Amino acid sequence: MTASDTLAVQAEGVRKSYGRFEALRGIDLEVARGQVTCLIGPSGSGKSTFLRCINHLEKVTAGRLSVEGELVGYRQHGGKLYELRDKEVCAKRAKIGMVFQRFNLFPHMTALENVALGPIRVKHESKSAAEERARKLLDRVGLADKLAGYPSQLSGGQQQRIAIARALAMEPSLMLFDEPTSALDPELVGDVLDVMRSLAEDGMTMIVVTHEMGFAREVADSLIFMDEGVVVESGQPREMLANPKNERTRSFLAKVL
């Protein structure tokens, strides 16, 4: 088994530009299967952009990005990269769950219908099979009593837990979280983090953009500090939070801890 066989995500010199603005300036990063990696850093540092590149919601400008050993959004032939068709991209994206700051639930659908929709539409599962899994997942995130609830009837924390269940319904090998608690009232954050902690304990590979330093310290296997589109420092979370080596990391942590 080679090193790449154990990697869930591998980024090599990843760059992303919007016109003249370079949001990512050569990201090299590896995430092993079953590992929880937290990305921290100031707003505008490129964390969310990098997350969106992983599932090809954003196309990289340069470099290579692989998930489970396969290039994201491209195939290689004769030393050149060719972009995949939308249908092929969607098939690969189905294996990557993503949870956003905003919950993006369908307002006209119940919790059960929101969670079951992906497997029915994308994986062509029967309605009964998809709804059975949706019930189990909603129970897992502590919402077995909200199956018939509509998003407008639920708190932000409940909606975010439904969004996590919806991502899990596609049976992903990798979960991406883009500041999943930043839009929540403080008293609702704990329930969402508990669900994420449970996923980590079950061995789910996760990349989490977060400002929740306690979660990063307790749950993450690795911590990465980004600023101005580059990885400034990375390491073991407890050590890095207690003794950051880079001055930019020290300055950032002094403001948020």
Side-chain angles (χ1 to χ4, degrees):
M1 181 180 288
T2 65
S4 61
D5 291 330
T6 65
L7 293 179
V9 178
Q10 184 174 29
E12 302 169 275
V14 170
R15 293 177 177 269
K16 173 63 183 177
S17 297
Y18 300 95
R20 293 185 176 182
F21 174 68
E22 201 168 21
L24 300 176
R25 299 190 293 130
I27 301 293
D28 294 304
L29 186 152
E30 293 181 349
V31 179
R33 288 179 184 157
Q35 186 177 62
V36 178
T37 296
C38 282
L39 304 182
I40 62 172
S43 296
S45 59
K47 309 181 302 296
S48 296
T49 299
F50 178 66
L51 218 61
R52 292 171 66 84
C53 286
I54 292 175
N55 65 358
H56 207 58
L57 287 174
E58 298 281 0
K59 299 175 185 178
V60 301
T61 307
R64 297 163 64 89
L65 191 49
S66 304
V67 174
E68 299 289 345
E70 295 185 6
L71 287 170
V72 174
Y74 300 90
R75 61 183 173 82
Q76 184 167 332
H77 183 72
K80 289 187 176 182
L81 295 181
Y82 298 88
E83 190 166 5
L84 298 175
R85 292 192 207 81
D86 287 346
K87 189 174 182 181
E88 294 172 294
V89 171
C90 286
K92 291 183 181 295
R93 190 180 287 148
K95 300 174 184 176
I96 304 171
M98 187 155 185
V99 178
F100 301 87
Q101 294 179 41
R102 298 291 171 179
F103 326 121
N104 297 336
L105 300 178
F106 290 108
H108 63 289
M109 291 184 168
T110 65
L112 184 71
E113 290 167 340
N114 263 287
V115 176
L117 182 65
I120 293 171
R121 286 275 181 87
V122 179
K123 300 175 81 173
H124 308 296
E125 288 187 8
S126 69
K127 183 179 179 182
S128 60
E131 289 189 347
E132 177 61 26
R133 186 182 309 126
R135 287 189 186 90
K136 290 178 180 176
L137 288 169
L138 286 166
D139 181 44
R140 176 173 185 176
V141 300
L143 293 172
D145 59 337
K146 301 294 184 183
L147 302 183
Y150 288 89
S152 63
Q153 301 169 325
L154 304 170
S155 72
Q158 290 170 333
Q159 291 184 64
Q160 192 61 296
R161 283 184 280 157
I162 291 169
I164 294 173
R166 178 181 59 184
L168 293 173
M170 295 298 290
E171 299 181 304
S173 60
L174 169 67
M175 284 286 285
L176 308 176
F177 293 87
D178 189 5
E179 298 193 32
T181 60
S182 65
L184 302 180
D185 292 333
E187 67 268 22
L188 303 176
V189 168
D191 290 338
V192 173
L193 292 181
D194 284 345
V195 171
M196 294 169 64
R197 193 175 283 110
S198 163
L199 290 177
E201 289 170 355
D202 286 351
M204 173 63 76
T205 309
M206 297 159 59
I207 303 178
V208 185
V209 173
T210 187
H211 293 295
E212 300 289 341
M213 297 301 160
F215 176 85
R217 183 187 292 109
E218 297 163 24
V219 180
D221 299 291
S222 66
L223 185 64
I224 293 169
F225 173 65
M226 289 179 63
D227 193 18
E228 297 183 351
V230 300
V231 173
V232 175
E233 186 171 348
S234 61
Q236 201 279 332
R238 289 178 186 272
E239 173 62 25
M240 195 168 138
L241 290 171
N243 301 296
K245 293 180 173 59
N246 188 283
E247 178 54 39
R248 285 156 82 188
T249 315
R250 277 197 294 273
S251 174
F252 173 78
L253 292 175
K255 294 172 184 172
V256 299
L257 288 178

